[in-house]
């Protein structure tokens, strides 16, 4: 079982220019005070960026891995959904940079992230 399955993430859209993933805000992704855990938001953001990055490589010879991520948490949430919308800022041969907006079910900004991916050779 991977984190996408554990956190009940569902991919809604995947292409080279946009990835959308939804995650319910349940007890699985909350911190002890009952709010959405910032680490869960970051996990969702990096997952969206990584799935987007896969669209730009030869998956038989390459993989993408997280090199760096930063995330600004804007709004606290206790329930509902978190939706990641990831778009490429830079797509290169060895690195990619993705911008990810994390919104709630009402479209309000919850967090904003930027993730740098490294493109690695697997074979």
């Amino acid at each position: 079982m991977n984190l996408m399955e554990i956190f009940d993430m569902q991919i809604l859209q995947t292409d080279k220019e946009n990835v959308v993933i939804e995650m319910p805000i349940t007890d699985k992704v909350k911190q002890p005070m009952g709010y959405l855990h910032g680490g869960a938001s970051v996990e969702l953001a990096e997952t969206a960026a990584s799935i987007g990055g896969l669209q730009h490589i030869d998956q038989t010879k390459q993989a993408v891995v997280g090199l760096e991520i930063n995330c600004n948490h804007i709004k606290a949430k206790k329930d509902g959904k978190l939706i990641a919308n990831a778009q490429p800022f830079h797509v290169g041969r060895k690195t990619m940079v993705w911008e990810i907006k994390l919104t709630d079910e009402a479209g309000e900004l919850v967090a904003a992230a930027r993730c740098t991916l490294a493109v690695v050779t697997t074979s």
Side-chain angles (χ1 to χ4, degrees), residues 37-83:
H37 194 292
S41 299
V42 172
E43 165 60 23
L44 179 60
E46 185 167 337
T47 298
S50 295
I51 289 171
L54 289 173
Q55 311 310 306
H56 291 272
I57 63 168
D58 179 350
Q59 295 180 43
T60 64
K61 299 177 185 173
Q62 298 172 303
V64 292
V65 295
L67 186 61
E68 189 272 341
I69 190 165
N70 65 61
C71 187
N72 295 97
H73 305 285
I74 310 298
K75 177 182 174 185
K77 289 286 291 179
K78 284 192 164 193
D79 54 25
K81 297 177 186 176
L82 190 61
I83 302 147

Side-chain angles (χ1 to χ4, degrees), residues 16-119:
K16 286 185 171 188
E17 298 305 318
N18 198 42
V19 174
V20 181
I21 303 178
E22 180 178 275
M23 178 181 75
I25 299 171
T26 64
D27 288 342
K28 295 178 190 179
V29 297
K30 292 181 182 178
Q31 38 93 310
M33 284 68 68
Y35 291 96
L36 172 65
H37 194 292
S41 299
V42 172
E43 165 60 23
L44 179 60
E46 185 167 337
T47 298
S50 295
I51 289 171
L54 289 173
Q55 311 310 306
H56 291 272
I57 63 168
D58 179 350
Q59 295 180 43
T60 64
K61 299 177 185 173
Q62 298 172 303
V64 292
V65 295
L67 186 61
E68 189 272 341
I69 190 165
N70 65 61
C71 187
N72 295 97
H73 305 285
I74 310 298
K75 177 182 174 185
K77 289 286 291 179
K78 284 192 164 193
D79 54 25
K81 297 177 186 176
L82 190 61
I83 302 147
N85 191 312
Q87 297 177 328
F89 183 74
H90 160 76
V91 177
R93 290 181 299 113
K94 299 200 179 212
T95 61
M96 297 182 204
V97 180
W98 286 75
E99 292 184 324
I100 308 98
K101 289 183 181 174
L102 301 162
T103 58
D104 64 13
E105 65 280 3
E108 293 187 29
L109 187 65
V110 175
R114 183 179 292 193
C115 182
T116 302
L117 303 173
V119 179

